Amino acid sequence: MNNFKWIVKQRWLLRKKHPLSLIIGVVLPLLSMIFYLQAYQQSSDMMTVAVVDSAPSVYTNFFKQRLASSVKIETFPNQAAADSAAINNEVSAVVVINPQAAHRLAEHRSGVIASVSSLQGKFTLKSFKNNVQLAANLTQQLALQAKSLTEFKKLTNHYQRALPKLSFRDTGDAEQSQMMSVQIIGVVLMLALYYASSLSSEIMQKERSDGTFQRLMLSPVSRRTYLSATVCFAFGLLSIQSGTTLLIMRWIFKINPGCSYLALWLLLELFDLLAIAVALLIGSWSPNRKMDGALQTIIYTVTSLLSGGFIPLIVMQKIMQRIAALTPQYWVIKVISQLQHQTGWQSISFSLMILIAFILVFLAGTVYKLSNSRTIARFA
């Protein structure tokens, strides 16, 4: 037991000499939360445009109604007021309806129905012009089919009735918050893998290369004690990182993950143990430090991208979703989704058993390699 405490103490003293690595473990998840909060805030806001209709009529009202189906519109009395709103970034674009548009449409004459301008670049203007053009084309098409204003009204009413009836469910911010939570956790999982490597595998590799590991193996310290002390040290710091990240989510950003924070923390604790097991497995089987670093980068990055933490699985092809099931991160994301949707305990326990199986297999591979290694020669 004294040997176990001594190894943990030495690990901590070495880590204290590099406080930056301890800070990064919390700063990077914090930055990821800020990034996703900004991204979701921008994506949740519908594009707002200013509309100037100096001569309102049935025709222009229908045009505005069609335009409002794709963007959020605000009506202004004149172009000066609309331009002022655009300058102040209150609207993304300005649509000025031609005062002669109603007469031209009623008389079946061609001409410009509306003009579009924007101060937010060509990309915004180009993408929005398509919406305006579609609304104008539909208005002109119905006007050409009608011989009078009464017929135009009948055609527009018929068009409205012919539209498919859709049922919408207002979920507020809950669903968006849950999706954002999953992606933030996806970043935390990848960072946990790299952080676990710096706390376990890299230390072990360094000690093997500078001869510390060889001297320890010639002392009363057993390989089992050495491995268990390394795991406990890394698990303790990873637990602090996971807990701090969740506290920031809960109390600073007030993110609703859609499930209990306690359950989320316990799940991250399980993955922290898995991350340590993966790092030790790669470190014990790697012939040198360069190979260890290369394998970690490839495995951690690829599995994180495939797991659904960064890219939602729903947008992936079926074959990619099946491949994702081979990664441990996938099952963590799946448990979070099951907790959010309050599925039965049986389905959650199955996913947890798979995670535990991953941990046991990885640890068994590490123990086998360290126990059956016939040489403890130094390597670079």
Side-chain angles (χ1 to χ4, degrees):
M1 189 64 182
N2 290 331
N3 291 333
F4 176 90
K5 293 180 180 178
W6 180 83
I7 294 177
V8 172
K9 182 179 179 180
Q10 294 303 312
R11 295 276 190 272
W12 173 245
L13 292 176
L14 290 173
R15 185 56 56 176
K16 284 178 64 178
K17 294 180 180 180
H18 304 282
L20 184 61
S21 61
L22 297 174
I23 298 174
I24 289 177
V26 177
V27 171
L28 289 181
L30 176 63
L31 293 177
S32 69
M33 290 182 214
I34 296 175
F35 169 79
Y36 279 114
L37 282 171
Q38 292 294 329
Y40 272 84
Q41 179 64 34
Q42 293 176 2
S43 63
S44 62
D45 296 334
M46 180 181 283
M47 183 179 182
T48 303
V49 300
V51 176
V52 179
D53 186 8
S54 58
S57 65
V58 174
Y59 299 98
T60 58
N61 288 339
F62 179 76
F63 169 77
K64 288 184 290 185
Q65 185 182 10
R66 290 297 87 212
L67 190 60
S69 64
S70 58
V71 296
K72 182 180 178 181
I73 67 173
E74 290 187 9
T75 304
F76 288 82
N78 51 63
Q79 187 171 353
D83 290 340
S84 177
I87 293 173
N88 294 327
N89 288 324
E90 297 175 4
V91 295
S92 301
V94 176
V95 178
V96 179
I97 300 177
N98 191 332
Q100 304 298 322
H103 298 290
R104 291 176 178 175
L105 290 170
E107 296 174 4
H108 298 171
R109 289 187 295 156
S110 60
V112 177
I113 295 179
S115 60
V116 184
S117 61
S118 175
L119 297 177
Q120 296 189 5
K122 293 182 178 180
F123 178 78
T124 300
L125 183 61
K126 183 178 180 180
S127 60
F128 175 61
K129 280 176 64 177
N130 293 330
N131 297 332
V132 178
Q133 190 65 54
L134 288 173
N137 290 344
L138 180 59
T139 305
Q140 191 169 32
Q141 181 181 1
L142 293 179
L144 290 174
Q145 295 177 12
K147 295 181 180 180
S148 64
L149 182 61
T150 303
E151 289 188 10
F152 180 80
K153 290 181 179 180
K154 290 182 179 179
L155 286 173
T156 56
N157 291 334
H158 176 74
Y159 173 81
Q160 297 292 353
R161 290 194 299 269
L163 289 176
K165 304 301 179 183
L166 301 178
S167 176
F168 293 95
R169 179 172 58 94
D170 185 8
T171 60
D173 296 330
E175 188 171 343
Q176 184 184 42
S177 179
Q178 291 178 7
M179 186 180 298
M180 180 176 62
S181 300
V182 169
Q183 292 184 306
I184 290 175
I185 295 300
V187 176
V188 173
L189 296 181
M190 187 178 73
L191 294 177
L193 288 170
Y194 283 103
Y195 199 42
S197 295
S198 68
L199 297 174
S200 57
S201 176
E202 291 181 12
I203 293 178
M204 185 175 69
Q205 294 282 29
K206 184 177 182 300
E207 290 177 344
R208 291 173 67 186
S209 63
D210 63 16
T212 302
F213 178 75
Q214 288 82 352
R215 293 191 293 271
L216 286 173
M217 292 302 99
L218 295 175
S219 70
V221 177
S222 65
R223 299 190 182 193
R224 181 179 297 176
T225 301
Y226 175 84
L227 181 61
S228 59
T230 301
V231 171
C232 289
F233 169 75
F235 184 72
L237 289 185
L238 282 171
S239 298
I240 295 174
Q241 181 206 33
S242 301
T244 304
T245 300
L246 294 181
L247 286 175
I248 293 173
M249 288 179 60
R250 174 65 179 86
W251 298 109
I252 297 181
F253 293 105
K254 301 185 183 302
I255 297 174
N256 178 19
C259 61
S260 167
Y261 266 98
L262 177 61
L264 196 56
W265 179 71
L266 292 175
L267 181 61
L268 289 181
E269 289 292 277
L270 184 63
F271 185 81
D272 288 342
L273 187 59
L274 188 146
I276 297 170
V278 173
L280 291 175
L281 180 67
I282 297 174
S284 61
W285 285 86
S286 298
N288 52 62
R289 298 177 69 177
K290 290 183 178 179
M291 180 64 72
D292 180 34
L295 287 175
Q296 287 178 10
T297 302
I298 295 173
I299 293 174
Y300 296 167
T301 304
V302 173
T303 56
S304 297
L305 291 175
L306 289 176
S307 62
F310 287 85
I311 305 173
L313 290 172
I314 193 171
V315 302
M316 294 184 182
Q317 296 181 353
K318 292 295 184 181
I319 187 172
M320 299 303 295
Q321 294 180 15
R322 293 176 181 175
I323 295 175
L326 301 176
T327 66
Q329 299 97 312
Y330 166 85
W331 295 100
V332 176
I333 300 299
K334 186 171 183 177
V335 171
I336 295 175
S337 178
Q338 290 169 338
L339 290 172
Q340 290 175 342
H341 294 87
Q342 299 180 353
T343 58
W345 170 249
Q346 184 176 1
S347 59
I348 296 176
S349 61
F350 176 76
S351 300
L352 292 176
M353 288 176 61
I354 293 180
L355 285 173
I356 295 173
F358 272 117
I359 296 174
L360 295 178
V361 170
F362 295 151
L363 286 177
T366 303
V367 172
Y368 173 81
K369 180 62 177 178
L370 293 179
S371 300
N372 293 275
S373 179
R374 296 180 178 276
T375 176
I376 55 174
R378 294 172 61 180
F379 68 98

